[in-house]
Amino acid sequence: MDSQVRNRIAGVLLGQAVGDALGVPYEFDSAPIKAGRAEMLGGGLGHYRPGEWSDDTQMAMCIAEVARSSHGAALTSQSGLDQVAAWFLKWLNSGPGDMGVLTSRVLHPASHQPETAGLAQRMSRIARQAAADGSAGNGGLMRTAIVGLSALQDRQQTARTASAICALTHAHQLCQESAVLWSEAVRVAVSEGRLDIRGGLELLEPASRPYWEDGIVQAESQDPGTFRANGFTVTALQAAWSSIHATRGMGADPARFVATLQTAIGIGHDTDTVAAIAGGLLGAYFGASGIPANLARQLNGWPEHGGRPSGRRDLVRLALETAGSGWSQCGSLLASGSSRTVSRAVPHPEDPQVILGTEDDLVRAKEIGVTAAVSLSRLGDPEIAASGLDPRLIAEVWLIDSDDRSKNAHLLWTLHDAAETVKALRDEGHTVLLHCVAAEHRTPAVALAYSLLLGRPVAEANGRIEQALNHPKQGLLWQTVYDSARPATPPP
Ligand SMILES: [Mg+2]
């Protein structure tokens, strides 16, 4: 699978969780919102820990748990839907901190007869009764981004799945249609690398299309703040899309990811849900490499997922497995038993509290005295565990070691984001390991970006890094950073 598509797949649940955890503190005015300055403070209705994501992403993970084993193919089969419904009940029994009204009105009665066979039908029947009064909350839409990964080549199947999974708890036609539109937008963002909310209109019944066309035009022509009554599935979709549309001037600049989430949270009311919805689609568009590493590292998981704690890495793993693009390709040197890299552990020439090193140095984190890490290579769980560091103090950067320009999306941004993450950890007082597999290409490139961030002249900084790391490779990554500091040569 194309490495940029893989990157975008990996961004879906990660982007959603970042939006969710950023929005949690301000849910239904739990805390005052300082415009543009939402932080992962925890709290909210569910008394979440800082960085913990809420029901929106938790329920999306339940769907992914079923999709991963079948690569999404069986999600609309009776047994697939029964399993999703069973995961929803497992989630209910885990005692989630917070739950939407309609979801609660369906899951509690459904739990009285929890046998998996026929569960989806029973749950959907209760959902239809619950929707008879016209209830059309945003609880089906909030968890639907992951469905966009379940059939990347098949828009009809994506629409059927979005509808059926939504209807397990949210049976109103508008709920199902909003889920179809958003799942299709995620599928298009991942497979084609573009943002398009109208792509799913033709998947709806012809009679429904003018209503949604009007709704989208409203979202694009009115201020995002207009959509404050966003507990309703239609206004929730409008709030999320209006926030994305409002930042369209930033184009494909990954800085738009955070700018949009801040806009979405600034709308107020159901802040975590609107930001989770927007974050899922933005993560699909910008990919894991376009989500600030210093923000993603602050995610604090969910203490109770299928009987065990889950973390940020589970989001990436579940998304890749849902799309049939396995996590196993993200190698662990420890688990594979392949030859270990050698330790380097060289102090950064401009800041000796930054240690330049290898994967071996991460495993020896305690020994070499680092308290945090910025990892530029794909780690296995054994490396993380062996480091002894809190996973929230290991920022993982999605950066492919390649001289092929097509492998990394927005390469310069990602390299500088990695350097800024080193800086953020240093500002918190940490001694930081900056590492890749062997400290030959990625590490020196980001080390140079860090020197530039500290205001050092590029040629001098480069000379000192060359000396420290004994003449590392000067490939595309290094060249990209180096050129970013040089004034462009004027045309002859
Ligand atoms: Mg929530």
Side-chain angles (χ1 to χ4, degrees):
M1 190 179 276
D2 177 286
S3 71
Q4 292 210 25
V5 172
R6 246 176 92 73
N7 176 30
R8 294 196 290 263
I9 292 168
V12 171
L13 283 179
L14 198 61
Q16 165 160 355
V18 168
D20 189 344
L22 270 178
V24 150
Y26 315 98
E27 192 180 14
F28 303 113
D29 300 315
S30 305
I33 303 167
K34 291 184 202 143
R37 294 177 53 198
E39 292 178 74
M40 292 188 192
L41 303 171
L45 295 188
H47 306 290
Y48 297 101
R49 302 167 301 165
E52 188 175 345
W53 57 77
S54 74
D55 53 343
D56 312 61
T57 309
Q58 292 168 5
M59 292 192 85
M61 291 175 79
C62 293
I63 299 166
E65 284 290 350
V66 181
R68 72 192 289 196
S69 49
S70 61
H71 302 331
L75 275 180
T76 45
S77 69
Q78 206 50 56
S79 94
L81 286 169
D82 282 346
Q83 287 175 58
V84 174
W87 263 97
F88 286 173
L89 290 189
K90 202 188 279 193
W91 171 73
L92 175 75
N93 292 330
S94 74
D98 183 32
M99 193 182 315
V101 176
L102 201 47
T103 302
S104 172
R105 274 166 56 192
V106 174
L107 294 193
H108 279 110
S111 69
H112 298 149
Q113 207 186 328
E115 297 76 24
T116 301
L119 180 59
Q121 276 187 338
R122 295 195 298 279
M123 198 177 272
S124 302
R125 194 179 315 124
I126 300 167
R128 284 195 296 277
Q129 289 159 2
D133 64 357
S135 294
N138 59 27
L141 171 61
M142 75 181 191
R143 61 180 192 234
T144 205
I146 186 69
V147 173
L149 298 180
S150 64
L152 278 177
Q153 306 303 325
D154 188 341
R155 60 207 302 262
Q156 300 289 346
Q157 175 66 12
T158 300
R160 278 193 296 275
T161 308
S163 228
I165 289 182
C166 178
L168 287 173
T169 54
H170 289 65
H172 197 291
Q173 188 180 341
L174 290 173
C175 296
Q176 296 184 52
E177 289 171 348
S178 63
V180 169
L181 287 173
W182 209 259
S183 294
E184 172 63 6
V186 168
R187 191 194 68 78
V188 167
V190 166
S191 54
E192 299 173 30
R194 59 192 182 86
L195 286 168
D196 177 12
I197 190 63
R198 289 178 172 79
L201 284 171
E202 58 190 58
L203 295 164
L204 307 180
E205 292 295 326
S208 299
R209 293 173 198 166
Y211 174 87
W212 283 103
E213 279 171 9
D214 287 351
I216 293 166
V217 168
Q218 275 175 21
E220 293 177 346
S221 57
Q222 296 176 22
D223 184 85
T226 314
F227 305 100
R228 193 177 146 79
N230 45 42
F232 174 39
T233 200
V234 177
T235 34
L237 182 143
Q238 288 177 306
W241 183 252
S242 186
S243 304
I244 292 171
H245 188 75
T247 54
R248 67 193 179 285
M250 298 176 77
D253 178 353
R256 185 178 174 192
F257 176 84
V258 170
T260 304
L261 293 183
Q262 295 288 356
T263 302
I265 292 163
I267 295 170
H269 201 63
D270 203 350
T271 47
D272 62 316
T273 293
V274 172
I277 295 166
L281 180 52
L282 292 167
Y285 179 64
F286 288 110
S289 71
I291 298 173
N294 190 44
L295 201 50
R297 79 166 173 90
Q298 294 173 47
L299 286 172
N300 200 6
W302 165 23
E304 186 57 44
H305 173 64
R308 64 179 182 83
S310 64
R312 174 190 71 221
R313 293 165 60 77
D314 293 295
L315 299 170
V316 174
R317 184 185 351 241
L318 281 170
L320 287 167
E321 288 179 352
T322 293
S325 176
W327 172 264
S328 58
Q329 291 172 43
C330 305
S332 159
L333 293 178
L334 283 181
S336 68
S338 63
S339 59
R340 300 273 298 276
T341 57
V342 292
S343 166
R344 297 292 294 272
V346 174
H348 190 289
E350 317 295 344
D351 179 356
Q353 298 298 107
V354 173
I355 307 297
L356 309 177
T358 64
E359 280 191 10
D360 195 59
D361 292 318
L362 179 69
V363 172
R364 301 190 315 123
K366 288 274 150 73
E367 203 181 310
I368 61 177
V370 299
T371 57
V374 174
S375 297
L376 308 173
S377 50
R378 299 277 86 201
L379 299 171
D381 293 335
E383 279 81 5
I384 300 270
S387 76
L389 298 175
D390 179 334
R392 282 174 297 156
L393 293 175
I394 304 178
E396 291 177 85
V397 178
W398 188 284
L399 181 62
I400 313 284
D401 183 3
S402 173
D403 289 333
D404 177 347
R405 284 184 190 278
S406 72
K407 294 291 182 194
N408 286 291
H410 33 74
L411 177 59
L412 179 62
W413 185 90
T414 302
L415 291 162
H416 282 293
D417 179 63
E420 279 166 21
T421 303
V422 173
K423 177 82 166 50
L425 286 163
R426 286 288 296 118
D427 289 347
E428 288 182 18
H430 289 286
T431 300
V432 182
L433 172 68
L434 173 64
H435 83 92
C436 56
V437 175
E440 284 169 357
H441 189 200
R442 286 177 281 195
T443 299
V446 174
L448 180 60
Y450 183 64
S451 298
L452 299 180
L453 193 59
L454 296 181
R456 303 294 187 269
V458 66
E460 181 192 317
N462 184 57
R464 285 159 64 85
I465 287 167
E466 276 194 335
Q467 201 173 18
L469 284 173
N470 194 17
H471 299 282
K473 177 181 170 188
Q474 297 191 328
L476 174 68
L477 274 50
W478 169 85
Q479 191 74 51
T480 300
V481 176
Y482 195 94
D483 288 350
S484 74
R486 265 197 321 209
T489 316

